[in-house]
Amino acid sequence: MVVYKHLLSALLLATNAAAGRGGIQKRQNDAPTTTWNGATYSCKCYNSDDCWPEQSAWDELNTAVDGNLVANAPAGAPCYQNHGANVEATYNQQECQEAVQGYGVAEWVDDQPATLMWPFYSNTTCEPAQNAQGTCTLGFLPEYVVMAKTAEHVQAGVQFAAEHNLRLVIRNTGHDFMGRSTGYGSLAINTHALNSIEFTSSYDGPGDWTGGAVTLGSGVQHSQLYPAANQLDPPVVVVGGECPTVGIAGGFIQGGGHGPLAGYHGLGSDQALEFKVVTADGDLTTANAEENPDLFWALKGGGPSTFGVLTSVTIKTHPEMTCTGMSVNITGYDETFWTGVADFHNMANHFTEAGMYVWFALMNGNLNIQPVVGPNMTEQEFTQVVQPFLDKLDQDGVQYQHEIREFSNFYDLWYNMFSKTNNVGDQQSLVGGRLFVAEDIEQHGDEIVDAIREVIGAGSGGFGGFGGGGAAASAAVMGGHVVNPGHAIPQEDYSATHPAWRRAATANLYIVSAEPGMSWEERKEIEDMVTNTLGQKLRDASPNSASYINEGDVNEPNWQETYWGDNYPRLLEIKQTWDPNGVFYAKSTPGTEDWEVIEYGTRLCKKQ
Ligand SMILES: Cc1cc2nc3c(=O)[nH]c(=O)nc-3n(C[C@H](O)[C@H](O)[C@H](O)COP(=O)(O)OP(=O)(O)OC[C@H]3O[C@@H](n4cnc5c(N)ncnc54)[C@H](O)[C@@H]3O)c2cc1C
Ligand SMILES: *[C@@H]1O[C@H](CO)[C@@H](O)[C@H](O)[C@H]1NC(C)=O
Ligand SMILES: *[C@@H]1O[C@H](CO)[C@@H](O)[C@H](O)[C@H]1NC(C)=O
Ligand SMILES: *[C@@H]1O[C@H](CO)[C@@H](O)[C@H](O)[C@H]1NC(C)=O
């Protein structure tokens, strides 16, 4: 019965529409229409429209969410004497100082209702600064935020947005590189407080997994889950990411999710056993191998904010194990530096064949490879694998320092070698990325490194303190990962992620600095450079490769193919089944072809 529930609700909605009452029909009539660049659009409701909810309706929503609805104010609001019509005046020097200090701290940013780690996408119209000048406005940040404490609060938020035809945004930690946790004039649902963690030693739900599992509220972050898994008796490990403050069961798992153990146990999304998700009709739905298997598959990497709001996820746990890590630094401003970069990048397939994982940060003159992770490897086993790489560097006369450390468990490796990396807010930049597959490294390895070199240029971008956000809009830093989840789980449709993940070698992102307060034309210029100049160099050098939906370019051309490959048609069908009216929207995700943010980054509308 439950399996066919969505068919049934589609039928009911169709019946309602035919009878001319309630549901979709009414919402479509309410949608304001407009023309823009010669096309006709039907739009979501915004606060200047007649269809925007009355104050009494917002009050009702606030009651339904037990008083957890907040009128949003940007982080910098207490710093401004002048506040725009949609931001309550809150000038307060003490609070301003806290905001100025907190803005660069990931944990502080996460705790705010809607502040972004990558502020470009807020339109930076109210940045925290002592003695700030000008007027604080919301820019592209949400108008209201449901600070959800329960799944019922999430349901109330989704129902309200659907009923009133509002733009709905889901915001967990605000880490999104691509601006997908914000939206002009929207109602946001903040899932940060859904942080329950419950372990079981033997999973007995649907599917063939009988090992350990853990059920996570969708707000749980790595800094909570990794220690909890380690403190269990016996300790376990999970496939998460590197960064302590990324959320596991929000954007990470719905985008695919790679991390230190992905070469050994598969992608983050491959770990999912069951989702609880609030779907577009406001129902709290279960998706697993037996109940709604289509939705289950799609939620495993089919796109963030696309099929529903996750409220919890059950994922596999695995036994703890000895892990070894290595740090390597290559420095220098001559050609040998780039020889070293090529020696490293061309070695990716060798590392992934051993199930290893690597994070590296590259700018001109400095390659910081830290760490190389060897899951379930002693120092001796690890050294055998990495020795050919070190030998090659020696042979080529490359200057480097390196250090190898064995840890008795994964948690200690993560804590010592990852947990302090890149965990910062106020990243005034935008990103693009490319996922290189094994075949391209084999056939075009040197061309790829040449393309990377061109993308990095003079290298004065910013990421976690690497060079720290210079003004030059033409320079980038690259962060990357050596990872192949296909080493652990080779089946191409195991999850909805791009099949190229099963042949992955490195997943890289490049970071380009942006200035706060750029005009629309300047924004378009820098986006164009990210997509068409820098991105094109990487595409040209890797004809068989793809991109990673969480670490890519939001304006990627042919995004359907580049982010999902052959899995796209099935995802589109599932999106049309579960969210036919577009309650959920994030740019460049399945089913958003007709949707567009028009009028200089503001109204979300559907082409007629
Ligand atoms: C410092 C840093 C380190 C990173 N490290 C890694 C890494 O090691 N591995 C990796 O794979 N990725 C990594 N990422 C990328 C990361 O996976 C994505 O940014 C991811 O989208 C973040 O998810 P979030 O829920 O924490 O963030 P948010 O910005 O809050 O949300 C991201 C997206 O997911 C949607 N979303 C959030 N919660 C839900 C929900 N409950 N239901 C439905 N949709 C939801 C949002 O609407 C948005 O589209 C990193 C990013 C940063 C900034
Ligand atoms: C976005 O920022 C630009 C530049 O400051 C400004 O002209 C524009 O009005 C802003 N738009 C919104 C909706 O804040
Ligand atoms: C680690 O590897 C050994 C074989 O070398 C294997 O027996 C063991 O199961 C592995 N441990 C884990 C947790 O995968
Ligand atoms: C490499 O550089 C980083 C950053 O400066 C440093 O933390 C690390 O210890 C260095 N590693 C080695 C092996 O020197």
Side-chain angles (χ1 to χ4, degrees):
M1 181 60 213
V2 187
V3 179
Y4 295 106
K5 188 194 70 87
H6 58 281
L7 284 180
L8 191 65
S9 57
L11 265 172
L12 283 174
L13 287 170
T15 315
N16 281 343
R21 61 185 151 84
I24 300 167
Q25 189 68 29
K26 179 160 178 296
R27 289 208 297 274
Q28 279 176 348
N29 287 342
D30 279 353
T33 56
T34 195
T35 54
W36 178 251
N37 286 340
T40 304
Y41 291 90
S42 130
C43 301
K44 300 281 184 182
C45 290
Y46 290 93
N47 70 5
S48 54
D49 295 319
D50 291 341
C51 52
W52 184 253
E54 304 277 338
Q55 187 54 47
S56 58
W58 290 109
D59 293 344
E60 275 171 39
L61 174 60
N62 189 33
T63 304
V65 300
D66 301 316
N68 288 297
L69 180 71
V70 300
N72 188 32
C79 301
Y80 289 74
Q81 301 280 358
N82 302 320
H83 290 82
N86 54 8
V87 182
E88 200 188 320
T90 51
Y91 180 80
N92 178 315
Q93 203 179 350
Q94 172 74 29
E95 283 173 26
C96 170
Q97 198 170 332
E98 281 168 27
V100 169
Q101 284 164 2
Y103 204 45
V105 179
E107 287 79 1
W108 189 90
V109 170
D110 297 341
D111 287 344
Q112 307 306 306
T115 302
L116 303 179
M117 208 160 168
W118 300 77
F120 179 79
Y121 299 99
S122 73
N123 205 26
T124 55
T125 51
C126 189
E127 296 294 280
Q130 293 290 356
N131 309 312
Q133 301 298 313
T135 300
C136 166
T137 60
L138 278 176
F140 302 160
L141 293 169
E143 298 257 352
Y144 285 97
V145 187
V146 172
M147 301 295 292
K149 305 285 186 290
T150 64
E152 288 75 25
H153 296 166
V154 174
Q155 289 181 273
V158 171
Q159 279 157 5
F160 191 85
E163 185 185 332
H164 294 279
N165 186 29
L166 305 181
R167 175 154 182 198
L168 179 65
V169 157
I170 310 164
R171 195 277 193 188
N172 187 20
T173 67
H175 271 64
D176 202 302
F177 285 113
M178 302 155 85
R180 296 177 196 191
S181 34
T182 196
Y184 168 84
S186 61
L187 168 64
I189 297 175
N190 179 313
T191 58
H192 184 52
L194 300 176
N195 56 11
S196 59
I197 301 182
E198 211 174 305
F199 289 95
T200 171
S201 55
S202 56
Y203 181 71
D204 60 3
D208 50 18
W209 181 257
T210 53
V214 57
T215 299
L216 310 170
S218 56
V220 173
Q221 293 165 289
H222 294 90
S223 55
Q224 298 165 313
L225 181 59
Y226 282 164
N230 179 251
Q231 281 152 24
L232 215 62
D233 184 18
V236 294
V237 297
V238 293
V239 177
E242 306 146 283
C243 173
T245 49
V246 165
I248 297 144
F252 175 84
I253 206 157
Q254 286 170 97
H258 64 73
L261 300 179
Y264 199 73
H265 289 307
L267 282 169
S269 55
D270 296 338
Q271 312 302 310
L273 300 166
E274 178 169 288
F275 296 96
K276 298 275 188 211
V277 53
V278 177
T279 41
D281 51 13
D283 284 354
L284 181 60
T285 302
T286 299
N288 58 39
E290 279 170 18
E291 275 181 72
N292 304 308
D294 61 337
L295 185 61
F296 176 57
W297 178 79
L299 289 168
K300 297 192 289 178
S305 195
T306 302
F307 304 98
V309 189
L310 299 186
T311 58
S312 77
V313 178
T314 303
I315 60 171
K316 300 169 193 170
T317 63
H318 308 273
E320 256 296 8
M321 55 197 168
T322 298
C323 290
T324 298
M326 174 171 77
S327 161
V328 183
N329 291 322
I330 300 177
T331 49
Y333 287 91
D334 51 10
E335 275 306 305
T336 13
F337 170 75
W338 286 99
T339 305
V341 174
D343 287 347
F344 165 66
H345 201 261
N346 286 336
M347 201 61 82
N349 292 336
H350 174 73
F351 289 136
T352 59
E353 278 155 23
M356 283 181 170
Y357 181 87
V358 184
W359 158 254
F360 65 91
L362 172 66
M363 52 195 284
N364 192 22
N366 190 340
L367 171 60
N368 173 224
I369 306 167
Q370 185 174 329
V372 177
V373 180
N376 199 14
M377 280 186 199
T378 61
E379 183 171 341
Q380 198 188 5
E381 289 163 335
F382 182 94
T383 304
Q384 272 174 16
V385 181
V386 300
Q387 198 58 50
F389 166 53
L390 301 175
D391 290 346
K392 183 82 167 80
L393 293 178
D394 288 334
Q395 210 179 317
D396 290 341
V398 177
Q399 299 273 326
Y400 67 95
Q401 294 84 44
H402 85 290
E403 186 193 1
I404 298 177
R405 285 176 75 182
E406 181 183 303
F407 297 90
S408 63
N409 58 67
F410 167 71
Y411 178 75
D412 286 349
L413 182 145
W414 176 78
Y415 186 79
N416 284 287
M417 299 192 87
F418 271 115
S419 65
K420 288 157 195 88
T421 309
N422 299 328
N423 195 29
V424 285
D426 195 10
Q427 301 275 350
Q428 300 286 351
S429 327
L430 54 171
V431 311
R434 191 78 176 157
L435 172 70
F436 298 111
V437 295
E439 186 187 350
D440 278 337
I441 301 272
E442 258 165 45
Q443 295 171 6
H444 313 285
D446 289 340
E447 286 146 81
I448 290 173
V449 173
D450 287 345
I452 288 175
R453 184 174 180 174
E454 284 179 42
V455 165
I456 284 168
S460 72
F463 188 55
F466 293 98
S474 62
V477 168
M478 185 166 274
H481 313 89
V482 175
V483 56
N484 178 20
H487 176 74
I489 298 183
Q491 295 97 297
E492 292 202 339
D493 63 352
Y494 192 88
S495 296
T497 48
H498 198 303
W501 268 115
R502 309 299 161 184
R503 297 171 277 120
T506 75
N508 304 329
L509 65 157
Y510 52 96
I511 297 145
V512 176
S513 303
E515 290 289 293
M518 292 197 307
S519 70
W520 182 253
E521 290 71 26
E522 289 166 332
R523 290 176 73 89
K524 289 295 116 181
E525 208 174 298
I526 192 168
E527 287 181 344
D528 178 69
M529 185 189 69
V530 165
T531 306
N532 298 315
T533 307
L534 306 182
Q536 196 56 41
K537 290 182 199 296
L538 299 179
R539 270 176 233 123
D540 287 346
S542 58
N544 303 296
S545 293
S547 278
Y548 173 30
I549 186 64
N550 277 338
E551 299 178 341
D553 177 0
V554 73
N555 300 310
E556 181 72 37
N558 306 319
W559 53 265
Q560 296 90 337
E561 170 63 30
T562 309
Y563 287 126
W564 286 285
D566 288 351
N567 283 335
Y568 189 77
R570 187 172 164 202
L571 282 169
L572 181 59
E573 215 171 282
I574 296 169
K575 169 74 173 182
Q576 281 160 353
T577 304
W578 286 91
D579 184 20
N581 299 311
V583 171
F584 303 107
Y585 171 85
K587 192 169 181 344
S588 306
T589 59
T592 55
E593 282 81 358
D594 296 336
W595 291 91
E596 210 180 308
V597 173
I598 64 168
E599 297 167 357
Y600 308 109
T602 58
R603 288 208 284 170
L604 175 63
C605 303
K606 191 177 185 187
K607 219 175 222 159
Q608 293 303 288

